[in-house]
Amino acid sequence: MALDRMSSPDPHRLSLNADPRQQRFEWRLQRIVWPLLALLLVAVAAGLLGQGPAARASGGSEAAGLTMRYQRFLRRGSPEALELRLRAASDEVRLQVAARYLESVAWSEVFPAPLRVTADDEAATLMFHARPGQWTVVRVQLQPRGVGTAQGWLAVDGGPRQPIGHFVYP
């Protein structure tokens, strides 16, 4: 009768049920998963999934009379801030916002409150009190309405359109 070494109660032998095929599979899997986890951590630290340096964006130009600071990545239904600087040519400054942008991102609060708001099929226009030649700071509370990309443009006093965009997570 043959003696089964794996089931022997010898205290000096380690009883391992080694399966070389299973071990090779697990090693290959770990070689794939560990780098993916490391990339995920780098993405989180950079802000690709929330707040961080890669999530912050700025746009517009001083020459166009409009500069913007905002977050590239938003969460659906979660409020976020947009800061605009508008250069006024007169005692009123007119901010135009693309209608398609407002369809995907609601502006729940605007400070200071606009003097007037008008809208047509292409854009909404907000009028603010301003000092000629000075920058007027406008802070907007955004609230994404859906998931995916939210693209549009803003312009000051009929000047060049400055693009703005976000990616909205669920």
Side-chain angles (χ1 to χ4, degrees), residues 16-63:
L16 293 177
N17 292 325
D19 183 357
R21 260 185 39 206
Q22 179 67 25
Q23 286 179 349
R24 279 193 300 275
F25 171 76
E26 288 178 11
W27 291 338
R28 285 187 193 121
L29 186 63
Q30 285 182 14
R31 286 187 190 130
I32 294 169
V33 171
W34 282 113
L36 289 176
L37 286 174
L39 284 174
L40 179 65
L41 287 174
V42 169
V44 168
L48 294 177
L49 300 175
Q51 305 293 326
R56 289 188 285 273
S58 58
S61 71
E62 291 192 11

Side-chain angles (χ1 to χ4, degrees), residues 93-97 102 114 116-120 123-127:
V93 63
R94 185 174 43 136
L95 172 67
Q96 296 161 299
V97 184
L102 292 174
R116 288 184 302 285
V117 178
T118 60
D120 58 31
T125 303
L126 293 83
M127 298 289 288

Side-chain angles (χ1 to χ4, degrees), residues 145-163:
R145 299 177 197 249
V147 175
T149 58
Q151 302 289 327
W153 54 265
L154 290 89
V156 171
D157 291 331
R161 295 175 174 181
Q162 303 299 310

Side-chain angles (χ1 to χ4, degrees), residues 58-74:
S58 58
S61 71
E62 291 192 11
L66 169 66
T67 62
M68 306 175 263
R69 290 192 330 191
Y70 58 95
Q71 295 291 321
R72 276 190 188 99
F73 306 107
L74 307 176

